[in-house]
Amino acid sequence: SSHFGPSSRRGSGSCLPHPRAAQSSAPSPAPAAAIAGSAAAAAGMPHAGMAAKRPARVVAGLFAVLLCLRASTGLWPAATGGTQLPAAVGATPSRPLPAFAATASAAAAGRRWLLRHRMRAVEPCKNEAFLDDAIAATGTSDPNVLVVGFSTTWCGPCKLMDPKVKKLSETFEGRVNFIKLMGDKDEDGLKIMKREGVRTVPLYQIYKDGVKVDEVAGADMEALTRNIEKHAAGR
């Protein structure tokens, strides 16, 4: 039997034999083999039976991965003659994606573009060219109705109308576009107001199919709503 000297410590994870015990007769081959086997197991080395089973487990694991890939994406790796993932995600396609996939991708890109460029509920007027383009667009695309509101930073009635016009723009979303021009603040503001003959604020001009069709002066929400409804009702 082996005994341990005072140098061994409880809980250290290993026990060291006493020097005198190490000088005793060498262990028999069977215990040595058992010790070697235990050491190999502790080191994570499989014995002969486990090593023989490993290839079968690897093959089964790869097959399971292929099944999961097929179920989740509908794509096989290129080695099986199928379609690889597109280059955008790090793979080179062996053949083009199906037509429906390309169409769906283009549609998604179009929706993202529209979201980025869609006019806000009430779009600030950037400059004279911006306003002219918006007016011209009513003659070639939808919405074909545009409301241009003229205001200034010091106009009290304009500030009272702003939240009401914003709510009105939400009511007519998709049918009418709204632009707000601040004469004493926006670029080309005074120039545009002079060009349009604006003498009082707030003033709301209504354009349809590229032509000015109506105008509402003052903080008259009822008249503005009525005129917008009239022109947005039909083409």
Side-chain angles (χ1 to χ4, degrees):
S1 64
S2 61
H3 78 280
F4 299 91
S7 61
S8 63
R9 291 194 296 268
R10 185 181 301 273
S12 63
S14 63
C15 294
L16 301 176
H18 193 275
R20 287 177 297 182
Q23 296 173 3
S24 61
S25 59
S28 60
I35 293 172
S38 300
M45 299 173 59
H47 54 71
M50 292 178 64
K53 293 179 181 179
R54 172 169 288 184
R57 292 180 178 177
V58 170
V59 172
L62 290 175
F63 185 70
V65 170
L66 288 175
L67 288 179
C68 292
L69 178 64
R70 175 65 174 176
S72 60
T73 66
L75 300 173
W76 286 107
T80 64
T83 303
Q84 287 182 305
L85 293 174
V89 291
T92 304
S94 58
R95 64 187 183 195
L97 289 174
F100 72 87
T103 302
S105 177
R111 285 193 296 271
R112 290 194 296 270
W113 188 93
L114 288 174
L115 288 174
R116 288 198 304 271
H117 295 82
R118 186 180 65 180
M119 294 181 70
R120 285 176 280 181
V122 179
E123 185 79 3
C125 182
K126 297 178 175 62
N127 49 47
E128 186 176 19
F130 173 83
L131 178 61
D132 291 343
D133 289 344
I135 294 172
T138 62
T140 59
S141 60
D142 288 328
N144 68 324
V145 179
L146 171 69
V147 176
V148 181
F150 294 89
S151 178
T152 60
T153 57
W154 45 262
C155 173
C158 300
K159 296 177 182 178
L160 293 176
M161 285 291 288
D162 283 347
K164 297 178 182 179
V165 173
K166 183 177 184 298
K167 187 175 181 180
L168 198 61
S169 71
E170 294 169 353
T171 301
F172 288 95
E173 183 178 6
R175 294 188 291 161
V176 180
N177 282 335
F178 288 75
I179 291 179
K180 177 182 178 181
L181 183 143
M182 301 289 285
D184 59 340
K185 178 181 177 182
D186 294 339
E187 182 181 347
D188 299 331
L190 293 176
K191 178 182 178 182
I192 296 171
M193 291 180 74
K194 183 177 180 180
R195 184 190 79 178
E196 296 298 325
V198 178
R199 298 180 180 276
T200 182
V201 289
L203 178 74
Y204 302 93
Q205 294 180 345
I206 302 176
Y207 293 83
K208 183 175 182 179
D209 296 328
V211 179
K212 185 170 74 173
V213 293
D214 240 317
E215 189 173 277
V216 177
D220 192 342
M221 187 64 180
E222 183 180 346
L224 180 61
T225 304
R226 184 174 61 252
N227 280 280
I228 292 175
E229 287 176 342
K230 177 178 65 176
H231 296 296
R235 295 285 297 178

